[in-house]
mmCIF file of all heavy atoms in Angstrom:
data_model
loop_
_atom_site.group_PDB
_atom_site.id
_atom_site.type_symbol
_atom_site.label_atom_id
_atom_site.label_comp_id
_atom_site.label_asym_id
_atom_site.label_seq_id
_atom_site.Cartn_x
_atom_site.Cartn_y
_atom_site.Cartn_z
ATOM 1 N N MET A 1 -8.064 5.847 -7.234
ATOM 2 C CA MET A 1 -7.972 4.467 -7.620
ATOM 3 C C MET A 1 -8.088 3.566 -6.389
ATOM 4 O O MET A 1 -8.726 2.521 -6.453
ATOM 5 C CB MET A 1 -6.674 4.199 -8.358
ATOM 6 C CG MET A 1 -6.565 2.753 -8.785
ATOM 7 S SD MET A 1 -5.110 2.397 -9.754
ATOM 8 C CE MET A 1 -5.737 2.738 -11.357
ATOM 9 N N ALA A 2 -7.465 3.969 -5.298
ATOM 10 C CA ALA A 2 -7.534 3.157 -4.081
ATOM 11 C C ALA A 2 -8.980 2.977 -3.627
ATOM 12 O O ALA A 2 -9.361 1.894 -3.191
ATOM 13 C CB ALA A 2 -6.688 3.783 -2.970
ATOM 14 N N GLU A 3 -9.779 4.035 -3.734
ATOM 15 C CA GLU A 3 -11.205 3.938 -3.358
ATOM 16 C C GLU A 3 -11.915 2.885 -4.206
ATOM 17 O O GLU A 3 -12.681 2.084 -3.687
ATOM 18 C CB GLU A 3 -11.898 5.289 -3.534
ATOM 19 C CG GLU A 3 -11.479 6.330 -2.543
ATOM 20 C CD GLU A 3 -12.117 6.168 -1.183
ATOM 21 O OE1 GLU A 3 -13.002 5.321 -0.996
ATOM 22 O OE2 GLU A 3 -11.692 6.910 -0.278
ATOM 23 N N ALA A 4 -11.669 2.889 -5.510
ATOM 24 C CA ALA A 4 -12.328 1.945 -6.406
ATOM 25 C C ALA A 4 -11.895 0.512 -6.115
ATOM 26 O O ALA A 4 -12.719 -0.402 -6.107
ATOM 27 C CB ALA A 4 -12.023 2.297 -7.860
ATOM 28 N N LEU A 5 -10.612 0.321 -5.875
ATOM 29 C CA LEU A 5 -10.125 -1.024 -5.550
ATOM 30 C C LEU A 5 -10.716 -1.518 -4.241
ATOM 31 O O LEU A 5 -11.160 -2.664 -4.138
ATOM 32 C CB LEU A 5 -8.599 -1.033 -5.481
ATOM 33 C CG LEU A 5 -7.881 -0.777 -6.802
ATOM 34 C CD1 LEU A 5 -6.385 -0.584 -6.561
ATOM 35 C CD2 LEU A 5 -8.121 -1.909 -7.776
ATOM 36 N N LEU A 6 -10.738 -0.650 -3.238
ATOM 37 C CA LEU A 6 -11.304 -1.016 -1.943
ATOM 38 C C LEU A 6 -12.778 -1.392 -2.075
ATOM 39 O O LEU A 6 -13.230 -2.388 -1.514
ATOM 40 C CB LEU A 6 -11.122 0.132 -0.957
ATOM 41 C CG LEU A 6 -11.591 -0.128 0.464
ATOM 42 C CD1 LEU A 6 -10.753 -1.223 1.116
ATOM 43 C CD2 LEU A 6 -11.514 1.154 1.289
ATOM 44 N N ALA A 7 -13.519 -0.607 -2.846
ATOM 45 C CA ALA A 7 -14.951 -0.865 -3.042
ATOM 46 C C ALA A 7 -15.198 -2.215 -3.705
ATOM 47 O O ALA A 7 -16.210 -2.853 -3.467
ATOM 48 C CB ALA A 7 -15.566 0.256 -3.877
ATOM 49 N N ARG A 8 -14.249 -2.651 -4.518
ATOM 50 C CA ARG A 8 -14.403 -3.932 -5.218
ATOM 51 C C ARG A 8 -13.736 -5.090 -4.480
ATOM 52 O O ARG A 8 -13.739 -6.214 -4.950
ATOM 53 C CB ARG A 8 -13.815 -3.811 -6.625
ATOM 54 C CG ARG A 8 -14.646 -2.932 -7.523
ATOM 55 C CD ARG A 8 -13.945 -2.655 -8.837
ATOM 56 N NE ARG A 8 -14.754 -1.866 -9.744
ATOM 57 C CZ ARG A 8 -14.931 -0.563 -9.678
ATOM 58 N NH1 ARG A 8 -14.358 0.131 -8.722
ATOM 59 N NH2 ARG A 8 -15.682 0.074 -10.557
ATOM 60 N N GLY A 9 -13.114 -4.799 -3.343
ATOM 61 C CA GLY A 9 -12.460 -5.842 -2.560
ATOM 62 C C GLY A 9 -11.152 -6.333 -3.163
ATOM 63 O O GLY A 9 -10.738 -7.462 -2.900
ATOM 64 N N VAL A 10 -10.524 -5.499 -3.969
ATOM 65 C CA VAL A 10 -9.272 -5.875 -4.626
ATOM 66 C C VAL A 10 -8.098 -5.446 -3.742
ATOM 67 O O VAL A 10 -7.979 -4.267 -3.395
ATOM 68 C CB VAL A 10 -9.150 -5.195 -6.012
ATOM 69 C CG1 VAL A 10 -7.819 -5.526 -6.661
ATOM 70 C CG2 VAL A 10 -10.310 -5.611 -6.899
ATOM 71 N N PRO A 11 -7.222 -6.380 -3.364
ATOM 72 C CA PRO A 11 -6.056 -5.998 -2.563
ATOM 73 C C PRO A 11 -5.142 -5.064 -3.353
ATOM 74 O O PRO A 11 -5.013 -5.188 -4.568
ATOM 75 C CB PRO A 11 -5.336 -7.327 -2.296
ATOM 76 C CG PRO A 11 -6.299 -8.393 -2.644
ATOM 77 C CD PRO A 11 -7.253 -7.814 -3.646
ATOM 78 N N PHE A 12 -4.523 -4.122 -2.659
ATOM 79 C CA PHE A 12 -3.606 -3.197 -3.321
ATOM 80 C C PHE A 12 -2.485 -2.799 -2.374
ATOM 81 O O PHE A 12 -2.588 -2.960 -1.168
ATOM 82 C CB PHE A 12 -4.335 -1.956 -3.840
ATOM 83 C CG PHE A 12 -4.991 -1.138 -2.759
ATOM 84 C CD1 PHE A 12 -4.306 -0.112 -2.143
ATOM 85 C CD2 PHE A 12 -6.287 -1.409 -2.368
ATOM 86 C CE1 PHE A 12 -4.909 0.639 -1.141
ATOM 87 C CE2 PHE A 12 -6.904 -0.668 -1.374
ATOM 88 C CZ PHE A 12 -6.213 0.366 -0.750
ATOM 89 N N VAL A 13 -1.418 -2.284 -2.964
ATOM 90 C CA VAL A 13 -0.248 -1.820 -2.232
ATOM 91 C C VAL A 13 0.052 -0.405 -2.702
ATOM 92 O O VAL A 13 0.038 -0.133 -3.903
ATOM 93 C CB VAL A 13 0.982 -2.722 -2.524
ATOM 94 C CG1 VAL A 13 2.248 -2.139 -1.931
ATOM 95 C CG2 VAL A 13 0.739 -4.137 -2.032
ATOM 96 N N PHE A 14 0.298 0.491 -1.771
ATOM 97 C CA PHE A 14 0.785 1.813 -2.132
ATOM 98 C C PHE A 14 2.284 1.712 -2.334
ATOM 99 O O PHE A 14 3.007 1.234 -1.470
ATOM 100 C CB PHE A 14 0.504 2.834 -1.024
ATOM 101 C CG PHE A 14 -0.906 3.353 -1.023
ATOM 102 C CD1 PHE A 14 -1.799 2.951 -0.055
ATOM 103 C CD2 PHE A 14 -1.325 4.259 -1.984
ATOM 104 C CE1 PHE A 14 -3.096 3.429 -0.041
ATOM 105 C CE2 PHE A 14 -2.620 4.740 -1.984
ATOM 106 C CZ PHE A 14 -3.510 4.327 -1.014
ATOM 107 N N LEU A 15 2.757 2.157 -3.476
ATOM 108 C CA LEU A 15 4.184 2.258 -3.758
ATOM 109 C C LEU A 15 4.461 3.745 -3.922
ATOM 110 O O LEU A 15 3.929 4.382 -4.830
ATOM 111 C CB LEU A 15 4.544 1.493 -5.026
ATOM 112 C CG LEU A 15 6.008 1.506 -5.416
ATOM 113 C CD1 LEU A 15 6.874 0.934 -4.306
ATOM 114 C CD2 LEU A 15 6.205 0.726 -6.693
ATOM 115 N N THR A 16 5.236 4.292 -3.019
ATOM 116 C CA THR A 16 5.406 5.736 -2.992
ATOM 117 C C THR A 16 6.856 6.148 -2.801
ATOM 118 O O THR A 16 7.637 5.408 -2.210
ATOM 119 C CB THR A 16 4.533 6.359 -1.874
ATOM 120 O OG1 THR A 16 4.728 7.762 -1.860
ATOM 121 C CG2 THR A 16 4.861 5.783 -0.514
ATOM 122 N N GLY A 17 7.172 7.297 -3.305
ATOM 123 C CA GLY A 17 8.487 7.882 -3.099
ATOM 124 C C GLY A 17 8.478 8.821 -1.908
ATOM 125 O O GLY A 17 9.477 9.437 -1.584
ATOM 126 N N TYR A 18 7.329 8.936 -1.265
ATOM 127 C CA TYR A 18 7.162 9.838 -0.138
ATOM 128 C C TYR A 18 6.903 9.049 1.132
ATOM 129 O O TYR A 18 6.473 7.901 1.106
ATOM 130 C CB TYR A 18 5.989 10.796 -0.380
ATOM 131 C CG TYR A 18 6.165 11.621 -1.617
ATOM 132 C CD1 TYR A 18 5.543 11.265 -2.805
ATOM 133 C CD2 TYR A 18 6.976 12.748 -1.600
ATOM 134 C CE1 TYR A 18 5.715 12.019 -3.952
ATOM 135 C CE2 TYR A 18 7.157 13.505 -2.741
ATOM 136 C CZ TYR A 18 6.522 13.140 -3.910
ATOM 137 O OH TYR A 18 6.700 13.873 -5.042
ATOM 138 N N ASP A 19 7.108 9.693 2.246
ATOM 139 C CA ASP A 19 6.767 9.114 3.539
ATOM 140 C C ASP A 19 5.257 8.895 3.587
ATOM 141 O O ASP A 19 4.499 9.617 2.929
ATOM 142 C CB ASP A 19 7.214 10.087 4.632
ATOM 143 C CG ASP A 19 7.032 9.511 6.012
ATOM 144 O OD1 ASP A 19 7.901 8.741 6.444
ATOM 145 O OD2 ASP A 19 6.007 9.838 6.636
ATOM 146 N N LEU A 20 4.822 7.932 4.357
ATOM 147 C CA LEU A 20 3.381 7.656 4.445
ATOM 148 C C LEU A 20 2.588 8.839 4.969
ATOM 149 O O LEU A 20 1.386 8.915 4.745
ATOM 150 C CB LEU A 20 3.121 6.438 5.326
ATOM 151 C CG LEU A 20 3.283 5.100 4.641
ATOM 152 C CD1 LEU A 20 2.905 3.974 5.599
ATOM 153 C CD2 LEU A 20 2.459 5.007 3.381
ATOM 154 N N SER A 21 3.230 9.758 5.645
ATOM 155 C CA SER A 21 2.501 10.926 6.143
ATOM 156 C C SER A 21 1.951 11.769 4.988
ATOM 157 O O SER A 21 1.069 12.603 5.198
ATOM 158 C CB SER A 21 3.394 11.772 7.044
ATOM 159 O OG SER A 21 4.490 12.291 6.312
ATOM 160 N N ALA A 22 2.443 11.544 3.768
ATOM 161 C CA ALA A 22 1.930 12.253 2.600
ATOM 162 C C ALA A 22 0.568 11.709 2.159
ATOM 163 O O ALA A 22 -0.156 12.372 1.428
ATOM 164 C CB ALA A 22 2.917 12.159 1.442
ATOM 165 N N LEU A 23 0.225 10.516 2.610
ATOM 166 C CA LEU A 23 -1.074 9.920 2.275
ATOM 167 C C LEU A 23 -2.141 10.423 3.237
ATOM 168 O O LEU A 23 -1.845 10.712 4.395
ATOM 169 C CB LEU A 23 -1.016 8.395 2.388
ATOM 170 C CG LEU A 23 -0.168 7.657 1.378
ATOM 171 C CD1 LEU A 23 -0.130 6.169 1.734
ATOM 172 C CD2 LEU A 23 -0.709 7.842 -0.018
ATOM 173 N N PRO A 24 -3.387 10.485 2.783
ATOM 174 C CA PRO A 24 -4.469 10.813 3.709
ATOM 175 C C PRO A 24 -4.485 9.806 4.870
ATOM 176 O O PRO A 24 -4.123 8.636 4.702
ATOM 177 C CB PRO A 24 -5.732 10.685 2.852
ATOM 178 C CG PRO A 24 -5.254 10.890 1.447
ATOM 179 C CD PRO A 24 -3.866 10.294 1.413
ATOM 180 N N ALA A 25 -4.896 10.260 6.021
ATOM 181 C CA ALA A 25 -4.883 9.427 7.233
ATOM 182 C C ALA A 25 -5.573 8.078 7.011
ATOM 183 O O ALA A 25 -5.115 7.063 7.529
ATOM 184 C CB ALA A 25 -5.533 10.178 8.385
ATOM 185 N N ARG A 26 -6.639 8.069 6.254
ATOM 186 C CA ARG A 26 -7.391 6.829 6.021
ATOM 187 C C ARG A 26 -6.525 5.725 5.408
ATOM 188 O O ARG A 26 -6.753 4.543 5.623
ATOM 189 C CB ARG A 26 -8.570 7.122 5.100
ATOM 190 C CG ARG A 26 -9.332 5.892 4.731
ATOM 191 C CD ARG A 26 -10.510 6.202 3.868
ATOM 192 N NE ARG A 26 -11.212 4.951 3.614
ATOM 193 C CZ ARG A 26 -12.205 4.831 2.795
ATOM 194 N NH1 ARG A 26 -12.640 5.867 2.147
ATOM 195 N NH2 ARG A 26 -12.782 3.675 2.610
ATOM 196 N N TRP A 27 -5.543 6.090 4.619
ATOM 197 C CA TRP A 27 -4.745 5.125 3.878
ATOM 198 C C TRP A 27 -3.402 4.814 4.530
ATOM 199 O O TRP A 27 -2.665 3.962 4.053
ATOM 200 C CB TRP A 27 -4.509 5.629 2.455
ATOM 201 C CG TRP A 27 -5.787 5.911 1.743
ATOM 202 C CD1 TRP A 27 -6.272 7.122 1.367
ATOM 203 C CD2 TRP A 27 -6.774 4.960 1.352
ATOM 204 N NE1 TRP A 27 -7.492 6.981 0.771
ATOM 205 C CE2 TRP A 27 -7.822 5.647 0.743
ATOM 206 C CE3 TRP A 27 -6.874 3.571 1.468
ATOM 207 C CZ2 TRP A 27 -8.954 5.023 0.250
ATOM 208 C CZ3 TRP A 27 -8.005 2.945 0.963
ATOM 209 C CH2 TRP A 27 -9.022 3.669 0.367
ATOM 210 N N GLN A 28 -3.058 5.482 5.607
ATOM 211 C CA GLN A 28 -1.740 5.304 6.198
ATOM 212 C C GLN A 28 -1.499 3.925 6.783
ATOM 213 O O GLN A 28 -0.368 3.507 6.925
ATOM 214 C CB GLN A 28 -1.473 6.404 7.227
ATOM 215 C CG GLN A 28 -1.276 7.739 6.553
ATOM 216 C CD GLN A 28 -0.949 8.850 7.513
ATOM 217 O OE1 GLN A 28 -0.693 8.623 8.683
ATOM 218 N NE2 GLN A 28 -0.959 10.076 7.011
ATOM 219 N N GLY A 29 -2.542 3.184 7.086
ATOM 220 C CA GLY A 29 -2.389 1.830 7.616
ATOM 221 C C GLY A 29 -2.387 0.750 6.542
ATOM 222 O O GLY A 29 -2.282 -0.432 6.845
ATOM 223 N N CYS A 30 -2.511 1.144 5.285
ATOM 224 C CA CYS A 30 -2.557 0.179 4.182
ATOM 225 C C CYS A 30 -1.163 -0.355 3.871
ATOM 226 O O CYS A 30 -0.165 0.310 4.118
ATOM 227 C CB CYS A 30 -3.126 0.843 2.933
ATOM 228 S SG CYS A 30 -4.853 1.267 3.103
ATOM 229 N N PRO A 31 -1.095 -1.562 3.302
ATOM 230 C CA PRO A 31 0.203 -2.092 2.885
ATOM 231 C C PRO A 31 0.891 -1.126 1.933
ATOM 232 O O PRO A 31 0.243 -0.521 1.073
ATOM 233 C CB PRO A 31 -0.148 -3.404 2.179
ATOM 234 C CG PRO A 31 -1.462 -3.807 2.762
ATOM 235 C CD PRO A 31 -2.179 -2.507 3.025
ATOM 236 N N HIS A 32 2.189 -0.965 2.117
ATOM 237 C CA HIS A 32 2.920 -0.001 1.308
ATOM 238 C C HIS A 32 4.383 -0.403 1.177
ATOM 239 O O HIS A 32 4.889 -1.207 1.949
ATOM 240 C CB HIS A 32 2.839 1.384 1.940
ATOM 241 C CG HIS A 32 3.608 1.459 3.220
ATOM 242 N ND1 HIS A 32 3.109 0.957 4.396
ATOM 243 C CD2 HIS A 32 4.836 1.936 3.493
ATOM 244 C CE1 HIS A 32 4.005 1.132 5.348
ATOM 245 N NE2 HIS A 32 5.072 1.729 4.832
ATOM 246 N N ALA A 33 5.021 0.172 0.211
ATOM 247 C CA ALA A 33 6.473 0.063 0.039
ATOM 248 C C ALA A 33 6.946 1.436 -0.403
ATOM 249 O O ALA A 33 6.276 2.120 -1.169
ATOM 250 C CB ALA A 33 6.825 -0.991 -0.994
ATOM 251 N N GLN A 34 8.075 1.846 0.126
ATOM 252 C CA GLN A 34 8.601 3.170 -0.187
ATOM 253 C C GLN A 34 9.818 3.052 -1.089
ATOM 254 O O GLN A 34 10.694 2.223 -0.861
ATOM 255 C CB GLN A 34 8.971 3.892 1.106
ATOM 256 C CG GLN A 34 9.318 5.338 0.899
ATOM 257 C CD GLN A 34 9.440 6.086 2.221
ATOM 258 O OE1 GLN A 34 8.951 5.639 3.240
ATOM 259 N NE2 GLN A 34 10.097 7.222 2.189
ATOM 260 N N LYS A 35 9.857 3.877 -2.138
ATOM 261 C CA LYS A 35 10.979 3.883 -3.077
ATOM 262 C C LYS A 35 12.220 4.442 -2.392
ATOM 263 O O LYS A 35 12.086 5.331 -1.563
ATOM 264 C CB LYS A 35 10.656 4.741 -4.291
ATOM 265 C CG LYS A 35 9.507 4.206 -5.115
ATOM 266 C CD LYS A 35 9.229 5.189 -6.238
ATOM 267 C CE LYS A 35 7.986 4.825 -6.999
ATOM 268 N NZ LYS A 35 7.670 5.816 -8.018
ATOM 269 N N PRO A 36 13.389 3.986 -2.708
ATOM 270 C CA PRO A 36 13.651 2.845 -3.582
ATOM 271 C C PRO A 36 13.244 1.560 -2.870
ATOM 272 O O PRO A 36 13.584 1.346 -1.714
ATOM 273 C CB PRO A 36 15.158 2.897 -3.835
ATOM 274 C CG PRO A 36 15.709 3.598 -2.640
ATOM 275 C CD PRO A 36 14.621 4.542 -2.177
ATOM 276 N N VAL A 37 12.487 0.748 -3.551
ATOM 277 C CA VAL A 37 11.912 -0.449 -2.934
ATOM 278 C C VAL A 37 12.798 -1.665 -3.210
ATOM 279 O O VAL A 37 13.339 -1.820 -4.302
ATOM 280 C CB VAL A 37 10.466 -0.681 -3.428
ATOM 281 C CG1 VAL A 37 10.426 -0.981 -4.887
ATOM 282 C CG2 VAL A 37 9.773 -1.746 -2.633
ATOM 283 N N THR A 38 12.932 -2.494 -2.204
ATOM 284 C CA THR A 38 13.665 -3.750 -2.376
ATOM 285 C C THR A 38 12.671 -4.857 -2.686
ATOM 286 O O THR A 38 11.475 -4.724 -2.411
ATOM 287 C CB THR A 38 14.435 -4.129 -1.101
ATOM 288 O OG1 THR A 38 13.482 -4.366 -0.041
ATOM 289 C CG2 THR A 38 15.420 -3.033 -0.691
ATOM 290 N N ALA A 39 13.153 -5.928 -3.236
ATOM 291 C CA ALA A 39 12.286 -7.074 -3.528
ATOM 292 C C ALA A 39 11.647 -7.588 -2.246
ATOM 293 O O ALA A 39 10.460 -7.932 -2.231
ATOM 294 C CB ALA A 39 13.085 -8.175 -4.214
ATOM 295 N N ARG A 40 12.400 -7.606 -1.179
ATOM 296 C CA ARG A 40 11.875 -8.102 0.104
ATOM 297 C C ARG A 40 10.755 -7.203 0.631
ATOM 298 O O ARG A 40 9.729 -7.689 1.111
ATOM 299 C CB ARG A 40 12.997 -8.194 1.121
ATOM 300 C CG ARG A 40 12.554 -8.819 2.427
ATOM 301 C CD ARG A 40 13.710 -9.216 3.252
ATOM 302 N NE ARG A 40 14.417 -10.246 2.471
ATOM 303 C CZ ARG A 40 15.489 -10.876 2.865
ATOM 304 N NH1 ARG A 40 16.004 -10.611 4.035
ATOM 305 N NH2 ARG A 40 16.066 -11.788 2.121
ATOM 306 N N ALA A 41 10.935 -5.887 0.527
ATOM 307 C CA ALA A 41 9.906 -4.955 0.997
ATOM 308 C C ALA A 41 8.647 -5.067 0.143
ATOM 309 O O ALA A 41 7.531 -5.029 0.665
ATOM 310 C CB ALA A 41 10.438 -3.530 0.978
ATOM 311 N N LEU A 42 8.817 -5.202 -1.158
ATOM 312 C CA LEU A 42 7.665 -5.349 -2.040
ATOM 313 C C LEU A 42 6.934 -6.653 -1.765
ATOM 314 O O LEU A 42 5.702 -6.685 -1.696
ATOM 315 C CB LEU A 42 8.102 -5.269 -3.504
ATOM 316 C CG LEU A 42 6.983 -5.325 -4.531
ATOM 317 C CD1 LEU A 42 5.956 -4.225 -4.294
ATOM 318 C CD2 LEU A 42 7.557 -5.240 -5.929
ATOM 319 N N GLU A 43 7.681 -7.731 -1.573
ATOM 320 C CA GLU A 43 7.064 -9.014 -1.251
ATOM 321 C C GLU A 43 6.263 -8.919 0.042
ATOM 322 O O GLU A 43 5.126 -9.396 0.127
ATOM 323 C CB GLU A 43 8.120 -10.100 -1.124
ATOM 324 C CG GLU A 43 7.541 -11.434 -0.726
ATOM 325 C CD GLU A 43 8.585 -12.503 -0.468
ATOM 326 O OE1 GLU A 43 9.772 -12.169 -0.228
ATOM 327 O OE2 GLU A 43 8.224 -13.684 -0.508
ATOM 328 N N ALA A 44 6.819 -8.282 1.061
ATOM 329 C CA ALA A 44 6.131 -8.145 2.342
ATOM 330 C C ALA A 44 4.850 -7.325 2.187
ATOM 331 O O ALA A 44 3.813 -7.673 2.763
ATOM 332 C CB ALA A 44 7.056 -7.501 3.364
ATOM 333 N N ALA A 45 4.906 -6.247 1.405
ATOM 334 C CA ALA A 45 3.725 -5.414 1.201
ATOM 335 C C ALA A 45 2.649 -6.166 0.439
ATOM 336 O O ALA A 45 1.465 -6.096 0.772
ATOM 337 C CB ALA A 45 4.114 -4.137 0.457
ATOM 338 N N VAL A 46 3.029 -6.920 -0.591
ATOM 339 C CA VAL A 46 2.053 -7.697 -1.358
ATOM 340 C C VAL A 46 1.430 -8.784 -0.480
ATOM 341 O O VAL A 46 0.214 -8.989 -0.501
ATOM 342 C CB VAL A 46 2.692 -8.296 -2.631
ATOM 343 C CG1 VAL A 46 1.774 -9.306 -3.298
ATOM 344 C CG2 VAL A 46 3.052 -7.190 -3.605
ATOM 345 N N MET A 47 2.241 -9.455 0.297
ATOM 346 C CA MET A 47 1.703 -10.490 1.190
ATOM 347 C C MET A 47 0.741 -9.876 2.213
ATOM 348 O O MET A 47 -0.288 -10.458 2.519
ATOM 349 C CB MET A 47 2.834 -11.241 1.881
ATOM 350 C CG MET A 47 3.620 -12.154 0.958
ATOM 351 S SD MET A 47 2.599 -13.344 0.048
ATOM 352 C CE MET A 47 1.985 -14.344 1.385
ATOM 353 N N ALA A 48 1.085 -8.698 2.736
ATOM 354 C CA ALA A 48 0.199 -8.017 3.676
ATOM 355 C C ALA A 48 -1.134 -7.675 3.005
ATOM 356 O O ALA A 48 -2.196 -7.836 3.600
ATOM 357 C CB ALA A 48 0.862 -6.754 4.223
ATOM 358 N N ALA A 49 -1.085 -7.229 1.761
ATOM 359 C CA ALA A 49 -2.310 -6.901 1.034
ATOM 360 C C ALA A 49 -3.154 -8.140 0.802
ATOM 361 O O ALA A 49 -4.371 -8.114 0.949
ATOM 362 C CB ALA A 49 -1.967 -6.236 -0.297
ATOM 363 N N LEU A 50 -2.518 -9.231 0.447
ATOM 364 C CA LEU A 50 -3.251 -10.462 0.138
ATOM 365 C C LEU A 50 -3.830 -11.137 1.371
ATOM 366 O O LEU A 50 -4.848 -11.810 1.292
ATOM 367 C CB LEU A 50 -2.350 -11.439 -0.619
ATOM 368 C CG LEU A 50 -1.926 -10.993 -2.019
ATOM 369 C CD1 LEU A 50 -0.938 -11.983 -2.620
ATOM 370 C CD2 LEU A 50 -3.145 -10.819 -2.917
ATOM 371 N N THR A 51 -3.164 -10.980 2.502
ATOM 372 C CA THR A 51 -3.627 -11.637 3.729
ATOM 373 C C THR A 51 -4.450 -10.710 4.616
ATOM 374 O O THR A 51 -4.970 -11.137 5.643
ATOM 375 C CB THR A 51 -2.458 -12.194 4.549
ATOM 376 O OG1 THR A 51 -1.595 -11.118 4.931
ATOM 377 C CG2 THR A 51 -1.684 -13.227 3.752
ATOM 378 N N GLY A 52 -4.532 -9.432 4.237
ATOM 379 C CA GLY A 52 -5.323 -8.476 5.022
ATOM 380 C C GLY A 52 -4.634 -7.982 6.267
ATOM 381 O O GLY A 52 -5.277 -7.503 7.185
ATOM 382 N N THR A 53 -3.318 -8.117 6.328
ATOM 383 C CA THR A 53 -2.557 -7.602 7.451
ATOM 384 C C THR A 53 -1.764 -6.389 7.004
ATOM 385 O O THR A 53 -1.545 -6.181 5.822
ATOM 386 C CB THR A 53 -1.587 -8.650 8.021
ATOM 387 O OG1 THR A 53 -0.660 -9.025 7.000
ATOM 388 C CG2 THR A 53 -2.336 -9.877 8.502
ATOM 389 N N SER A 54 -1.337 -5.578 7.922
ATOM 390 C CA SER A 54 -0.511 -4.432 7.530
ATOM 391 C C SER A 54 0.631 -4.245 8.492
ATOM 392 O O SER A 54 0.765 -4.913 9.451
ATOM 393 C CB SER A 54 -1.349 -3.154 7.450
ATOM 394 O OG SER A 54 -2.046 -2.900 8.620
#
């Protein structure tokens, strides 16, 4: 799904219960939030996705 979103230029956030090391290296720099997620962490990840920062 991340590949399809990236190809279409759609911002996305990885929400995971695992450490980012579980993601392929290509995706480790993407905006993310780790469970249990706080509202502040989710907001920061969404803002990073929308502004293109990580």
Side-chain angles (χ1 to χ4, degrees):
M1 181 176 271
E3 290 282 353
L5 294 171
L6 183 65
R8 290 171 177 79
V10 177
F12 62 91
V13 172
F14 280 107
L15 181 58
T16 179
Y18 301 99
D19 186 82
L20 278 184
S21 63
L23 292 175
R26 176 178 182 187
W27 303 111
Q28 290 183 10
C30 292
H32 69 281
Q34 189 170 341
K35 296 176 187 176
V37 65
T38 64
R40 185 165 297 181
L42 183 57
E43 177 185 20
V46 170
M47 289 306 295
L50 294 175
T51 61
T53 61
S54 54

